[in-house]
Amino acid sequence: MKKMTWLGLAVVTFASPVFAADMPTKAPMAAPPVAAVYNWTGVYVGGSAGWAHADINGEYISPPPDHHNSSSDSFIGGAHIGAQYQFNNWLVGVEAAYSGLAKSSSSSTSPSSDCAGSSTASATCTNGVNDLFTVGGRLGVTFNQWLLYGTGGYANGRIETSTILMALGQCLPCESSAQRQGGWYAGAGIDYMLVPHWIVGLEYQHIKLNSKEHDPEGTFDANSRNMDATVDVVRARLSYLFN
């Protein structure tokens, strides 16, 4: 009887691992997918292209009171560089940009029919904003690969104005003046991170260039005038982020 008992225990002992190996095992639980993390912190460079609408005003210094204004639509293209820092969903940064405009001139005068009031009959004034420089801050909020932001700061542009009097096919005289003028800008935009580092975006800016005196002849005369301008810009942007 004792021999049978010990024999049964031995069979059970050696058979247990075999039966356990044949039993189905439960598969380990799969780890949940890891959400993509978009890091907006870093230094970025890029280019832009779009459309600009400029309104340019000239106010004559000497009486009688008179002024002329110009408006134009033109292509604008440029480059930008900036740095930004993301904390939680918020983003702060600074950016500098330079843009060139296709030369613009579309003039009208009021109330007289000539450029310089009563001083020069049948003259034409042409004006243009040739380039723009901006530097300022950005404040935005991120939603994974999306960024919504506002922007604003200092603006500087080159305004060119000319007085043209044509007689017998010749310019008698043609006077011009160009001045760099400071001001401010404000705007907003939206960026989308296509893949890590590459960002596309759309931006709007309103730029105001403050009034400054222009004297086309180089000496104070009836054609001297104070010039100012506003420029509205809509453009697409492409940037590369180093982070």
Side-chain angles (χ1 to χ4, degrees):
M1 186 66 182
K2 289 183 178 180
K3 289 182 179 181
M4 294 296 295
T5 302
W6 284 106
L7 181 59
L9 290 174
V11 171
V12 171
T13 301
F14 287 105
S16 296
V18 176
F19 290 132
D22 292 337
M23 292 178 65
T25 58
K26 186 177 181 180
M29 293 183 63
V34 178
V37 177
Y38 295 90
N39 180 13
W40 291 85
T41 296
V43 175
Y44 60 91
V45 296
S48 63
W51 165 88
H53 176 82
D55 288 307
I56 309 167
N57 300 300
E59 189 74 30
Y60 294 100
I61 296 175
S62 60
D66 201 357
H67 68 271
H68 61 92
N69 52 31
S70 306
S71 62
S72 65
D73 298 295
S74 64
F75 169 83
I76 184 171
H80 55 266
I81 181 171
Q84 57 195 22
Y85 178 75
Q86 178 185 354
F87 56 98
N88 297 326
N89 287 350
W90 293 96
L91 181 139
V92 294
V94 293
E95 180 179 292
Y98 177 83
S99 302
L101 288 77
K103 192 170 182 179
S104 59
S105 61
S106 174
S107 302
S108 61
T109 58
S110 175
S112 67
S113 60
D114 59 81
C115 177
S118 60
S119 62
T120 307
S122 303
T124 301
C125 283
T126 63
N127 306 308
V129 177
N130 293 335
D131 60 53
L132 292 167
F133 170 76
T134 58
V135 58
R138 298 211 306 169
L139 175 63
V141 59
T142 65
F143 303 92
N144 294 325
Q145 69 268 46
W146 292 95
L147 167 65
L148 300 176
Y149 65 89
T151 181
Y154 173 77
N156 187 285
R158 185 173 182 267
I159 296 180
E160 183 178 272
T161 180
S162 300
T163 303
I164 301 173
L165 176 61
M166 297 299 295
L168 301 177
Q170 300 181 15
C171 205
L172 301 170
C174 282
E175 305 160 354
S176 63
S177 171
Q179 300 269 14
R180 296 212 66 86
Q181 302 182 209
W184 56 269
Y185 77 96
I190 181 170
D191 282 349
Y192 179 79
M193 192 176 293
L194 285 171
V195 293
H197 305 294
W198 286 103
I199 300 170
V200 294
L202 186 66
E203 183 180 64
Y204 164 78
Q205 282 186 348
H206 176 79
I207 300 165
K208 170 65 175 177
L209 300 179
N210 298 327
S211 179
K212 191 172 184 179
E213 181 180 339
H214 285 244
D215 183 9
E217 290 185 345
T219 58
F220 182 82
D221 66 356
N223 285 327
S224 297
R225 48 196 180 263
N226 293 318
M227 305 295 301
D228 67 80
T230 59
V231 185
D232 291 287
V233 178
V234 176
R235 57 188 161 204
R237 293 161 47 105
L238 176 65
S239 306
Y240 185 86
L241 178 66
F242 301 89
N243 59 6

